[in-house]
Amino acid sequence: MNLMYVPAIAMVAIFMLYPLVQGIGLAFTNWDGYSPTKAFVGLDNFARLFTDATFQTALVNTLIYGIGCTVLQQVLGLGLAVALDGAGRSKAFARALIYLPVLVSPVVMTMMYYFLFQYDRGALNDILVSVGFDRIAWLSTGPGTVTIVVLINTLQFVGISMVIYLAGLQGIGQEITEAAEVDGARGLRLFRSITLPLLRPAIISSVIINLIGGLKLYDVIQVLTAGGPGYSSHSVSTLIARSYFGQQAAGYASAMGVALFVLIAVVSIFLVARMDRTGKDL
Amino acid sequence: MATTIAPQRTASPRVRRTSQAGQLGRWILIAIAVITQVTPFYLALTTAFKPITDTTSLWLPPLNGGTLDNFATAWDSGHLDWALENGLIVTVVSTALTCIVGAMAAYPLARRSTKLNRFVSLAILGMLMVPPLSILVPLYTMLAQLGLLNTYVSLILVLTTLQLPLAVFLFTQFMRTLPLSLEEAAAIDGAGLTTTFLRIVLPSLKPVFATVVILTSTNVWNEFAMSSYILNKAEVRTLAPAAASFFGTQGNNVGAAAAAALIGLLPILIAYLFLQKYFVKGALAGAEK
């Protein structure tokens, strides 16, 4: 019977585990990505991570993408879930439209957002001009581009948080809310002391999904400015591809890959451990 | 479109007590959210249907009913016909493979809870933490050495593997909820492992198949990073890379880029229209990992 999972394990071993292990090996070499030879350089690549200003920018950006998107998505997702909880055709229609971008390729979504932020015919600049301001080159600075990337990714996937919180709200029985109301809890107080604590499992699973998604972010950045202007909006993911394909730094790119994997693994394990504890609390 | 996106309950007394002003505020917020989410789609539409000569604001509909020129350009020079075909092949085969390999793997993991199998389950699920880009260098090198770059097979195997952890998890969770009695009855009747799996287990997986098929096929259809490196020739390129290349190399022709974007999202849009509740169920199933 156990033979039945051999194909799955073989695929995971060949196409994920083997590259992962080999990547760790390559991270200790100066391989350029095509020569038959490579030299062992010890921890040089990892040491370089600590001094390379470009990588540091990418790492900080990765954290901004991860944490920034996650925070915004929880606030907006929870707000939308509370506003759209309950029956009614118009609410169902609104939920369907807000969820729609989740299904669209991030590549396509970013292309569509470009029409809003582009300089010359940008829809946002059209509004600015029509009320008497000058055009703004939204994508010409690092912080501007990073902000817009956070915004695009947040809005595209806010629907996932919304749906998770909607399911969470449905899970809180009417009885609990009503009992609390009988005890005199209303409005914000009811929300803070009853609804929010009961939503904890929903909050944690939504945070895990959004945070891992944000820390892995690649598509939006690659399509919007390919990490530009300069290197200012790179995430670790886009910088790996750039170093490998653009600068033939395969060894160094592998070291970045290892660093990114460790970052995501540590964050995920920490959050999953918290989720298990929550399960026992309840 | 008006089908529900979450289980419903009747309007609560709490809602009825909320003030008129509160209701108005709530609907204003909802309207802002909906307008924000629809805006990029609207701008893509106006951009795509406007000829280059139409320099009016993108907020306005195209003059004289617009043009289909941008779609023709995107279709011809972007080779979107190829991209749609390639995308369809990769998506269908990857999704089928994910379902078969995933359901097979889940069966022993759900039914035989040995120490080894619990470890295998956890190890497969743990693969969700591997960011695809972190394995890009060795993976690309391996495929290049095997001469598999620009072949459907390589992208299908890679994307199937990336989809497997979630699929195996969903199948396992679902199988654990199925009663053992049918399988035991089949065993008493002398049915072997293969017969039991094919005749008894697989047919009862229908609901979770719907979820896995939708999650996998949208993920594969939309995938960009691996697809763009593994299949980089125009002849074999899938949709997301084809649309993106339009954006980079012909950056000035935003009209054609918008048309390409719209063509790329049309299949998903049509599927969403008809299968909305499965899409949302899929999102929730994925969230419970």
Side-chain angles (χ1 to χ4, degrees):
Chain A
M1 198 175 183
N2 280 358
L3 278 179
M4 292 176 75
Y5 57 57
V6 170
I9 294 197
M11 290 183 73
V12 169
I14 298 172
F15 296 104
M16 290 185 88
L17 215 52
Y18 173 69
L20 193 65
V21 172
Q22 220 197 4
I24 296 173
L26 285 176
F28 292 94
T29 71
N30 66 353
W31 195 44
D32 56 15
Y34 53 88
S35 313
T37 58
K38 48 181 172 276
F40 180 78
V41 295
L43 288 169
D44 281 9
N45 286 325
F46 292 101
R48 193 172 146 197
L49 292 177
F50 289 94
T51 52
D52 181 358
T54 308
F55 175 75
Q56 315 251 307
T57 310
L59 185 63
V60 170
N61 287 342
T62 300
L63 294 174
I64 296 176
Y65 295 143
I67 298 169
C69 294
T70 306
V71 170
L72 285 174
Q73 277 161 336
Q74 304 328 303
V75 174
L76 295 175
L78 188 55
L80 286 169
V82 170
L84 287 167
D85 187 24
R89 287 177 81 91
S90 19
K91 277 186 187 170
F93 188 64
R95 287 195 293 259
L97 283 178
I98 291 167
Y99 187 77
L100 174 65
V102 171
L103 308 163
V104 176
S105 172
V107 170
V108 168
M109 211 59 218
T110 308
M111 290 170 76
M112 296 198 297
Y113 267 108
Y114 179 76
F115 307 130
L116 188 64
F117 292 111
Q118 62 185 331
Y119 183 78
D120 263 339
R121 298 196 54 207
L124 210 51
N125 279 343
D126 280 351
I127 295 180
L128 285 183
V129 170
S130 71
V131 292
F133 289 99
D134 283 336
R135 285 174 189 281
I136 294 177
W138 299 98
L139 298 168
S140 70
T141 67
T145 309
V146 170
T147 309
I148 288 169
V149 169
V150 169
L151 209 68
I152 294 176
N153 188 55
T154 298
L155 292 176
Q156 171 159 21
F157 292 107
V158 73
I160 291 186
S161 312
M162 176 186 78
V163 170
I164 293 173
Y165 288 127
L166 275 169
L169 288 175
Q170 311 280 330
I172 300 174
Q174 202 69 52
E175 302 79 19
I176 298 176
T177 328
E178 275 163 14
E181 281 178 325
V182 171
D183 289 345
R186 290 269 145 73
L188 252 185
R189 198 176 137 67
L190 176 76
F191 183 74
R192 226 181 43 211
S193 20
I194 306 292
T195 314
L196 217 48
L198 287 173
L199 279 180
R200 243 188 88 141
I203 294 172
I204 293 182
S205 49
S206 176
V207 164
I208 292 178
I209 292 184
N210 293 148
L211 196 56
I212 295 182
L215 293 174
K216 282 180 182 176
L217 201 64
Y218 172 85
D219 303 15
V220 178
I221 309 156
Q222 190 63 30
V223 173
L224 195 65
T225 61
Y231 283 86
S232 57
S233 71
H234 268 293
S235 69
V236 176
S237 282
T238 58
L239 193 61
I240 290 172
R242 172 95 188 94
S243 307
Y244 178 40
F245 290 104
Q247 297 158 340
Q248 282 76 47
Y252 187 46
S254 299
M256 288 192 248
V258 173
L260 179 63
F261 170 63
V262 170
L263 173 70
I264 291 181
V266 168
V267 169
S268 318
I269 291 169
F270 172 74
L271 285 172
V272 170
R274 283 190 73 93
M275 172 140 75
D276 283 350
R277 225 177 40 218
T278 320
K280 280 177 201 128
D281 286 351
L282 289 174
Chain B
M1 201 70 192
T3 42
T4 54
I5 200 160
Q8 294 297 310
R9 68 181 181 215
T10 46
S12 71
R14 182 158 43 103
V15 173
R16 265 185 269 120
R17 271 205 302 274
T18 318
S19 66
Q20 294 270 305
Q23 277 299 327
L24 185 68
R26 168 197 293 239
W27 281 103
I28 289 172
L29 285 177
I30 294 173
I32 292 172
V34 169
I35 290 169
T36 309
Q37 293 297 70
V38 171
T39 295
F41 295 91
Y42 174 77
L43 294 176
L45 276 173
T46 58
T47 309
F49 283 102
K50 282 186 180 193
I52 305 170
T53 47
D54 183 347
T55 54
T56 53
S57 169
L58 294 180
W59 294 109
L60 304 171
L63 299 171
N64 315 318
T67 171
L68 287 174
D69 289 356
N70 292 322
F71 288 89
T73 312
W75 193 262
D76 294 336
S77 68
H79 289 299
L80 286 186
D81 46 348
W82 295 350
L84 283 170
E85 196 189 319
N86 297 331
L88 198 66
I89 294 171
V90 171
T91 304
V92 169
V93 180
S94 304
T95 305
L97 210 55
T98 304
C99 283
I100 298 166
V101 177
M104 268 175 64
Y107 188 44
L109 296 177
R111 284 303 186 226
R112 289 187 57 192
S113 182
T114 59
K115 223 173 188 172
L116 170 73
N117 286 2
R118 279 200 299 273
F119 171 76
V120 169
S121 283
L122 202 65
I124 293 181
L125 193 64
M127 288 294 135
L128 281 175
M129 296 184 304
V130 179
L133 266 292
S134 74
I135 54 170
L136 174 72
V137 177
L139 192 61
Y140 185 86
T141 315
M142 177 173 87
L143 295 172
Q145 279 164 355
L146 294 170
L148 285 176
L149 289 179
N150 288 310
T151 62
Y152 293 137
V153 177
S154 56
L155 185 63
I156 287 168
L157 289 175
V158 168
L159 292 186
T160 301
T161 309
L162 290 177
Q163 296 302 317
L164 268 179
L166 185 58
V168 170
F169 175 74
L170 293 176
F171 282 127
T172 313
Q173 294 290 89
F174 188 81
M175 275 181 203
R176 289 203 176 120
T177 67
L178 294 175
L180 267 170
S181 50
L182 276 179
E183 290 157 55
E184 284 163 355
I188 292 167
D189 289 347
L193 179 61
T194 323
T195 320
T196 312
F197 182 69
L198 291 178
R199 294 275 174 81
I200 312 282
V201 180
L202 276 192
S204 54
L205 293 180
K206 258 183 213 152
V208 70
F209 266 128
T211 306
V212 174
V213 165
I214 283 183
L215 273 180
T216 311
S217 54
T218 39
N219 283 349
V220 172
W221 181 262
N222 291 338
E223 210 281 338
F224 174 60
M226 290 294 168
S227 309
S228 62
Y229 293 116
I230 295 176
L231 303 182
N232 58 36
K233 282 199 188 131
E235 289 80 10
V236 286
R237 208 163 48 190
T238 55
L239 216 109
S245 76
F246 227 90
F247 206 49
T249 54
Q250 312 194 23
N252 296 329
N253 194 349
V254 285
L262 287 176
I263 293 171
L265 73 85
L266 200 61
I268 299 269
L269 214 57
I270 293 170
Y272 185 49
L273 215 56
F274 290 105
L275 302 170
Q276 206 201 85
K277 67 173 181 183
Y278 296 102
F279 274 101
V280 174
K281 241 169 61 187
L284 279 176
E288 277 153 20
K289 60 179 180 269

